Amino acid sequence: LSLDRLVTLRARTICAALEAFDPALLIVDKVPCGALRELMPALAALKTRGRARCVLGLRDVLDEPSVVRREWDTAGNEDVIREYYSAVWVYGDQNVYDVAREYAFGPDVCSRMAYTGYLDQRQRLEGPFGRPTSTASLEDMPAGREILCTVGGGQDGGSVAEAFATAKMPDGANGIILTGPFMPGRTQQQVRQLARGNDRLFVLDFAPEATGLMHRADRVVTMGGYNTISEVLSFGKSALVIPRVTPRREQLIRAERLLHLGLIDMLHP
């Protein structure tokens, strides 16, 4: 399908789903009108129906203010919020990053904004995947402290994983590398090659729910994505964060703010 046809199909699918489900609440993630404006027909239909309350959910940091301001002005995002959204929820702490001030949102948008705090990931342990059911390959791990290296989806985390694989572990400690499902095969093979012969270093390519690994870890080495950082904060882990710095600087900004507050250690990649 061409991109235009794909976007049209997505827009119609969303409209059909919302019409059938008839929600009282719609929470939209990050982009008020959809990645390619595919949400606009659905937002208009929901407004005409008059039942659903629409809420925009934003992470604690989007990108550098100049970049966000330019993108939002081009897309007319604030106008979309004024027209269709009754609230904006920021999944972060205003004392870490003041989204309203940093991005210079208009007063009518700011008046709809509420900071929820970082979402507490400890509750995920209560779900079916919260227990470490996906770690059969760790059954032979010797007793000792566990140091977890996690790189999000893994598509750009190869250098962090390789550095961790070649680092000298503290005496009596085990290292666990979670490469993520999108790490390129050649990079993953290189990480496994570096780990070969080290009976205290284990490589996992995927875990349906990594919260259990985070919960049991004594130390964490990680990139700076929102979900992982929320887990680090939720479980109060000692963490070294190596943030992504391209194509967006979201992770770097988040890590610098948390470093300033004494909540993590940070190393520029």
Side-chain angles (χ1 to χ4, degrees):
L1 294 178
S2 68
L3 183 58
D4 285 345
R5 286 189 65 195
L6 186 63
V7 171
T8 299
L9 175 61
R10 179 171 166 82
R12 290 176 178 174
T13 302
I14 293 169
C15 280
L18 290 173
E19 181 179 358
F21 189 66
D22 191 23
L25 175 67
L26 174 67
I27 304 175
V28 175
D29 183 48
K30 189 176 180 180
V31 186
C33 52
L36 293 170
R37 303 190 72 80
E38 71 274 16
L39 271 181
M40 295 305 294
L43 292 173
L46 289 176
K47 182 176 180 180
T48 298
R49 184 174 296 188
R51 165 173 157 79
R53 182 184 186 213
C54 294
V55 173
L56 177 67
L58 298 178
R59 296 179 180 180
D60 57 341
V61 181
L62 302 177
D63 202 342
E64 290 184 302
S66 60
V67 174
V68 173
R69 195 66 263 165
R70 181 174 66 250
E71 292 178 347
W72 276 54
D73 287 346
T74 300
N77 284 345
E78 290 198 54
D79 290 336
V80 174
I81 292 173
R82 294 184 187 100
E83 181 72 17
Y84 298 109
Y85 288 88
S86 58
V88 179
W89 294 346
V90 180
Y91 308 131
D93 189 319
Q94 193 171 10
N95 295 306
V96 176
Y97 199 77
D98 189 337
V99 169
R101 181 178 61 81
E102 295 284 353
Y103 299 138
F105 291 144
D108 47 353
V109 173
C110 292
S111 67
R112 305 175 198 197
M113 192 170 290
Y115 293 82
T116 67
Y118 288 88
L119 301 185
D120 189 350
Q121 303 298 308
R122 292 174 296 180
Q123 297 181 35
R124 297 170 73 117
L125 292 176
E126 301 171 5
F129 297 112
R131 297 175 298 277
T133 56
S134 59
T135 57
S137 58
L138 302 180
E139 290 178 355
D140 297 329
M141 187 167 61
R145 292 182 296 159
E146 296 180 15
I147 305 175
L148 174 66
C149 173
T150 177
V151 292
Q155 59 267 41
D156 58 353
S159 60
V160 175
E162 290 176 4
F164 185 89
T166 57
K168 184 181 184 300
M169 293 290 147
D171 292 340
N174 300 302
I176 302 170
I177 302 174
L178 183 60
T179 65
F182 304 122
M183 181 175 286
R186 181 174 298 180
T187 305
Q188 190 176 127
Q189 185 178 14
Q190 174 67 15
V191 172
R192 290 188 177 277
Q193 181 65 34
L194 291 170
R196 191 164 292 139
N198 185 343
D199 61 1
R200 283 193 173 271
L201 185 59
F202 298 80
V203 180
L204 306 176
D205 57 2
F206 177 71
E209 176 60 82
T211 308
L213 293 173
M214 178 72 71
H215 176 53
R216 59 191 267 179
D218 295 279
R219 299 286 187 271
V220 179
V221 176
T222 181
M223 296 178 70
Y226 176 86
N227 294 323
T228 306
I229 293 300
S230 292
E231 290 185 349
V232 166
L233 297 176
S234 295
F235 291 108
K237 297 298 178 180
S238 296
L240 172 63
V241 177
I242 301 99
R244 175 189 299 132
V245 296
T246 59
R248 293 188 178 274
R249 298 176 74 82
E250 164 207 341
Q251 292 194 8
L252 178 63
I253 295 169
R254 178 180 298 115
E256 287 177 338
R257 294 299 176 95
L258 294 174
L259 173 68
H260 177 72
L261 293 170
L263 297 172
I264 62 163
D265 288 320
M266 188 196 85
L267 181 66
H268 194 285

